[in-house]
Amino acid sequence: MYVVGLTGGIGSGKTAVSNRLQAKGIRVIDADMVARQVVEPGQPALARIQQHFGDEVLTDSGELNRSKLRSIVFASEKQRTWLEQLLHPLIRDRILQQLEESQSSYTLLVSPLLLETDQHLLVNHIVVVDADESQQLSRTRLRDNSSEEQIRAILAAQMSREERRSKADTILDNSGDLVQLEAQVDKLHQQLLQAASRESESE
Ligand code: ATP
């Protein structure tokens, strides 16, 4: 089993990269999606969150009120730690389960928090997609219609570009257009297929 972790800051191009690899038949596990699944109604984690923070973190229909929870944990490191200690092991277990089920030549784990959590311990190769802050900002604004201030706050809370780059086995430069990104992704895909086949031969 050869696992490739893909990370990058907000609007750096993770989805653009993972969509291209998925189209080539690579199984993509999205850590953000898993993080939403573990707090769906009926999941034990949602009940724990309700017990801890009260009914105000639920919507009228019983789903997690994300913006409410986000504002609570943004204001308190203690509460943030409590939430992370609850969710991170559950997210990790589910990712592990999906990795075990994967049948593709290698599996891609896409995670904005790959390097900040112990998720990086699950991967054989770390890919960072990299763009400068002004590109992250303008592309995210075009995509989400969110304010510059909101995006800047997220950028400030994320790992610095330099630190992220220093942890990469491969850096994809997304400072150009999508065609330039795709050419790098295609080349990387060939390298990863070879690395995965070497790994399976050595087992
Ligand atoms: P997030 O972490 O916010 O989900 P992301 O890392 O997945 O973001 P993408 O959604 O892939 O980033 O890219 C952000 C936006 O920028 C998208 O609308 C995407 O189509 C666009 N984009 C990505 N790369 C380029 C590029 N090289 N040139 C122009 N637009 C791009």
Side-chain angles (χ1 to χ4, degrees), residues 101-119:
E101 287 164 9
S102 172
Q103 303 281 333
S104 77
S105 334
Y106 64 86
T107 306
L108 189 71
L109 171 61
V110 186
S111 175
L113 296 177
L114 184 77
L115 304 172
E116 289 87 342
T117 62
D118 62 4
Q119 287 168 16

Side-chain angles (χ1 to χ4, degrees), residues 9-16 139 143 174 176-178:
I10 180 170
S12 57
K14 296 180 292 295
T15 308
R139 289 171 185 168
R143 187 193 57 191
N174 194 18
D177 61 21
L178 280 170

Side-chain angles (χ1 to χ4, degrees), residues 5-53:
L6 172 66
T7 192
I10 180 170
S12 57
K14 296 180 292 295
T15 308
V17 173
S18 63
N19 283 349
R20 184 140 183 111
L21 293 174
Q22 193 165 32
K24 294 176 188 295
I26 294 304
R27 169 83 166 97
V28 174
I29 298 171
D30 178 340
D32 267 351
M33 202 181 281
V34 174
R36 286 195 293 273
Q37 289 167 349
V38 299
V39 291
E40 276 171 0
Q43 291 295 320
L46 187 59
R48 295 280 310 277
I49 290 170
Q50 181 185 10
Q51 273 168 12
H52 186 82
F53 294 105

Side-chain angles (χ1 to χ4, degrees), residues 2 4 17-18 20-27 104-108 125 127 170 172 181-197:
Y2 195 78
V4 177
V17 173
S18 63
R20 184 140 183 111
L21 293 174
Q22 193 165 32
K24 294 176 188 295
I26 294 304
R27 169 83 166 97
S104 77
S105 334
Y106 64 86
T107 306
L108 189 71
H125 190 99
V127 178
T170 300
L172 296 173
L181 178 66
E182 285 165 6
Q184 296 171 67
V185 173
D186 293 356
K187 190 169 150 220
L188 176 65
H189 176 61
Q190 294 306 324
Q191 291 165 354
L192 293 173
L193 287 175
Q194 282 169 14
S197 99

